Amino acid sequence: MDRARRPRSLLAALTAALLTVPGITALSSAARAADADVAVNGGFESGLTGWTCTAGTTVTSPVHSGSSALQATPAGSDNAQCSQTVTVQPNAQYTLSGYVRGSYVYLGASGTGTTDVSTWTQSAPDWQKLSTTFRTGAATTKVTIYTHGWYGTGAYQADDLTLVGPGGSGTTQPPAAPAGLRTTTVTSSSVGLSWSAVTGATGYAVYRDGTKVQTVTGTSATVSGLAASTAYSFQVTAVNDAGESARSAVVTATTSAGGGGGGSSDLPAHALVGYLHASFANGAGYTRLADVPDSWDVIDLAFGEPTSVTSGDIRFNRCPVTECPNVESDADFKAAVKAKQAAGKKVLISIGGQNGQVQLTTTAARDTFVSSVSKIIDTYGLDGLDIDFEGHSLSLNADDTDFKNPTTPVIVNLISALKTLKARYGAKFVLTMAPETFFVQNGYQYYGTGKWGGQDPRCGAYLPVIHALRDDLTLLHVQDYNSGPIMGLDNQYHSMGGADFHIAMTDMLLTGFPVAGDPNNVFPPLRPDQVAIGMPASTNAGNGYVSPSEVTKTLDCLTKRTNCGSYATHGTWPALRGLMTWSVNWDRFANWEFQKNFDAYFG
């Protein structure tokens, strides 16, 4: 006898009996099946696991329930959509629901095989429930659910998103937590980890001090960008289509002592960096190198410039007497370099600047760059190199989407050239970079031309260079000036003019951030001893000048976590290296205001 036949006959008889009762209708096939919430991580308790977001993150306030919620901010042509593809059954009824806050917030489903649906609210000052239903098509096994805002209307929040209906045939349970987590190689700036494989896992997420820092497919990872002589805790989770496991047991590791790459161990704990107009004069006047006060620890000679944009042939032409009547002789200039070095200062050649576009489009240009820069360093006995590429020097090809593995020739060749110079001059070679915010922090929202094209290919273009050279990089001092508004890790836009901008921009470098909003593609934090904050020395020097009191607020917040204002930093960094300014000449013009404030704070 077919044992499966009897229960079906019993169900049929029961249904027929129920149909004789007034008010009872036939049960649908969807109702007969066990309904469940088939959405993964709808409460965002596991970060953005299971979701793909163009500009989203998780926040701890406001939340509808639990400890986390989604927050996303539309900007430009991006409506900040977060979506996930869910396994469903054909010919089945589903209800999509969720709670939202903000203006013009949408909740919907696509790929249903019948009629795609969406619902929205024009204004939800507090949590408001949205709900809609749909039926899948005869051959539909996957549906995409999503939420998004509207262009330029500000941040929205979403929480407790559910898709209730018959469960699909795919994986329905997250994997078990990984076991056997241990440390492997530990250096002054990185910790290696390994763990045992978990059955059913398709990947693993690595947490440092409670924050997800990377995802991998194998059973090992190296967490880099760490501070020397510092204790860290690590955990790992296993991930599959159903979600993320509980976290593993905690392991701790303390990085070894070390001053960092590129000669940073020779710098004072807190350094003052300034650009010296060495090849031109302007309204600030010419300042002789020997006349630069001892407060300046790193002096960047501005600028070495190429003979043509793509030649790679860099020349350093000192300011002519006709333009700078008080310019010193070559012999006196070289003597001043040696005197500064004898006093413990670093003198670098800075390449680029506003007018010095450099594009190393070929390996020949790369090799010419190395030889010509080496000639400048050797001629004047300099300590190293500052990369100040601006304008159109760096941009990404349309198919170059991974900052960890760049393919664009101008990026690849620059990385190769800098590594060659580092190898040629050794551990004491000082390498610094001064990118604009558009090329670094703006990469939190946008990277290159974007998934759908149309974005500025220069956006975030410095990130692969910084990342590839992070172990050789002495200092990164982003130009926190001449900048438009930039979104910080709080998903709010920050503008020049006060401490808030510098705090938010620096917090991004010291915390790390997902590139183009992808939580699986995180730019790791730099060590605090590798970071200085770039500011104009005076109102004449550039847009974004802040008063000494705002400079003090910035330093208080980042090094002591006091005086922070409305922005909440993700840490406290007493080892922050210091400040950079454009420029020594403009500070002298302003009666050394910037230098005096630095000396008073760190003196």
Side-chain angles (χ1 to χ4, degrees), residues 81-98:
Q81 177 167 297
C82 283
S83 64
Q84 71 168 259
T85 300
V86 182
T87 301
V88 295
Q89 290 188 10
N91 289 323
Q93 191 79 9
Y94 289 88
T95 299
L96 175 64
S97 300

Side-chain angles (χ1 to χ4, degrees), residues 115-204:
T115 301
D116 292 348
V117 296
S118 68
T119 181
W120 65 288
T121 178
Q122 180 175 354
S123 177
D126 202 353
W127 291 107
Q128 177 178 328
K129 185 175 183 179
L130 297 178
S131 186
T132 185
T133 61
F134 62 88
R135 188 172 186 83
T136 54
T140 302
T141 59
K142 299 282 187 181
V143 168
T144 298
I145 61 174
Y146 62 84
T147 181
H148 66 71
W150 197 246
Y151 309 102
T153 55
Y156 72 89
Q157 294 84 35
D159 200 2
D160 296 332
L161 305 187
T162 62
L163 182 63
V164 175
S169 58
T171 302
T172 59
Q173 294 294 327
L181 179 62
R182 64 184 183 90
T183 60
T184 54
T185 303
V186 179
T187 71
S188 62
S189 61
S190 66
V191 172
L193 301 167
S194 69
W195 56 90
S196 301
V198 176
T199 301
T202 57
Y204 301 89

Side-chain angles (χ1 to χ4, degrees), residues 541-578:
N543 295 321
Y545 167 79
V546 295
S547 67
S549 62
E550 293 298 301
V551 177
T552 296
K553 286 181 183 178
T554 301
L555 294 172
D556 279 347
C557 180
L558 294 167
T559 65
K560 304 173 185 177
R561 217 169 192 175
T562 62
N563 221 3
C564 287
S566 61
Y567 185 88
T569 65
H570 292 75
T572 308
W573 302 279
L576 179 74
R577 184 61 76 177

